[in-house]
Amino acid sequence: MIIVNTLLLILYALIGVVMAIAGIEAFRAKDNPARIGTGLFWEIMAVIFAFGTLMPAMVVGVLVVIIGILALFKQIQIGKIKPVDGAHAATAAKRLGGWVFVPSVVLAVVSIGVAQFTKLGGQVGIGIGAAVSLIVAIIMTKAPGKMVYNDTQRMVRSVGAAGILPQLLATLGAVFTAAGVGSLTAKLIAGLFPTGSHLGGVILYCVAMALFTIIMGNAFAAFAVITAAVGIPFVIAQGANPAIVAAIGMTSGYCGTLLTPMAANFNSLPVALLEMKDPLGVIKQQAPIAILLLIIQIGLMYFLAF
């Protein structure tokens, strides 16, 4: 356990270093009218990621509030970022062909391997996988150090304030659970929908998971609240298998993830990174599939859980 915590500290510190570099470059971007606020945002994020576990929770909370204030007054802007070296990218793409996907595969294989065959766990596995895949990408593309530096901070800065949204939404889910929102929601729903119908309970639970995920932007945050409020009293209490209900309930929430801009890491970041003109372009493409998948989840839970 000690080695896992130590590795996590190192990995988070490395993330902090990357964010600190992005902050330095943001301060240097004189063409960005909000360069001071943007630079502060990334430097604060760097401090939180690198030293968050070593600081009092109150201090971290104050830093998060400062980030919120900067966002409220629109002081976090991406600005103009140096584009990708088109000539080098085209040459590398032509030379590598389909092998360009190898670093992504390496990331997945190494992450799963570490998580499954060692005691280090999934978080450390992802960190090690990311480091190994980066090294593989550098070797394959023969990218010079300056290009690695520029492309790293360019990608981080392109994410902008949306980068912190998943963490905040997950925290919000924990706050909702601690505040008893699940119990209150259960009481409200119980007064509107009678228990006893297997299909009715399944539809209510799966749809509620998707809808609450759309609101929260995070299926993990929605899971604790909606499972306590709907899943247990309306499905599991009617005799359903808890393991099946939990697994399919979570995937029902993921259907909501495909439909909300609140899921920034899924739906907003691609828009920013690909410089799409339509901010909802990703969601519009995913919506039909998400609805179809939700219907399938309802059917699976009804036939498999009981």
Side-chain angles (χ1 to χ4, degrees):
M1 190 64 181
I2 295 177
I3 188 172
V4 172
N5 291 334
T6 302
L7 287 172
L8 283 175
L9 284 174
I10 293 173
L11 291 171
Y12 277 113
L14 289 174
I15 295 174
V17 170
V18 172
M19 290 182 171
I21 292 173
I24 293 172
E25 293 299 326
F27 278 127
R28 294 173 59 185
K30 296 183 179 181
D31 56 346
N32 185 354
R35 66 187 182 92
I36 301 300
T38 305
L40 281 175
F41 166 74
W42 285 116
E43 296 303 337
I44 291 173
M45 287 286 288
V47 170
I48 292 175
F49 269 82
F51 306 107
T53 57
L54 305 177
M55 298 187 298
M58 179 62 73
V59 175
V60 176
V62 170
L63 292 176
V64 172
V65 170
I66 293 174
I67 289 175
I69 293 174
L70 290 173
L72 177 65
F73 290 98
K74 299 181 179 180
Q75 293 304 302
I76 305 173
Q77 298 180 18
I78 297 175
K80 294 182 180 179
I81 299 176
K82 185 178 180 180
V84 177
D85 186 337
H88 185 277
T91 301
K94 184 178 180 179
R95 177 172 58 86
L96 294 172
W99 291 97
V100 72
F101 297 104
V102 168
S104 299
V105 176
V106 169
L107 191 157
V109 171
V110 173
S111 300
I112 294 174
V114 172
Q116 292 294 321
F117 302 108
T118 73
K119 297 181 179 180
L120 297 179
Q123 288 181 301
V124 174
I126 293 174
I128 295 175
V132 173
S133 66
L134 175 61
I135 294 172
V136 171
I138 293 173
I139 295 174
M140 290 180 61
T141 59
K142 300 179 181 179
K146 185 176 181 181
M147 179 176 292
V148 175
Y149 175 91
N150 288 333
D151 284 358
T152 299
Q153 62 90 21
R154 175 183 60 80
M155 185 186 71
V156 173
R157 289 171 60 197
S158 296
V159 172
I164 195 177
L165 190 56
Q167 294 92 324
L168 292 178
L169 291 172
T171 303
L172 183 60
V175 171
F176 276 13
T177 302
V181 173
S183 300
L184 178 60
T185 305
K187 293 179 181 178
L188 293 174
I189 293 177
L192 298 175
F193 299 94
T195 59
S197 170
H198 290 179
L199 180 60
V202 167
I203 293 175
L204 181 62
Y205 176 48
C206 292
V207 172
M209 272 297 301
L211 291 177
F212 207 70
T213 300
I214 290 174
I215 296 171
M216 298 288 291
N218 189 303
F220 291 99
F223 182 76
V225 176
I226 298 302
T227 299
V230 182
I232 294 176
F234 288 89
V235 184
I236 296 176
Q238 309 305 317
N241 185 312
I244 295 176
V245 170
I248 299 179
M250 182 64 80
T251 54
S252 298
Y254 294 153
C255 296
T257 300
L258 299 175
L259 297 170
T260 176
M262 293 294 285
N265 50 333
F266 285 96
N267 303 327
S268 296
L269 297 190
V271 172
L273 295 175
L274 298 176
E275 299 180 354
M276 297 173 62
K277 295 181 179 180
D278 186 356
L280 299 178
V282 172
I283 294 175
K284 289 177 181 178
Q285 294 296 319
Q286 294 173 165
I289 298 174
I291 295 172
L292 176 61
L293 287 175
L294 180 59
I295 295 173
I296 293 174
Q297 302 312 304
I298 292 173
L300 288 174
M301 186 180 293
Y302 178 70
F303 288 108
L304 297 178
F306 291 99

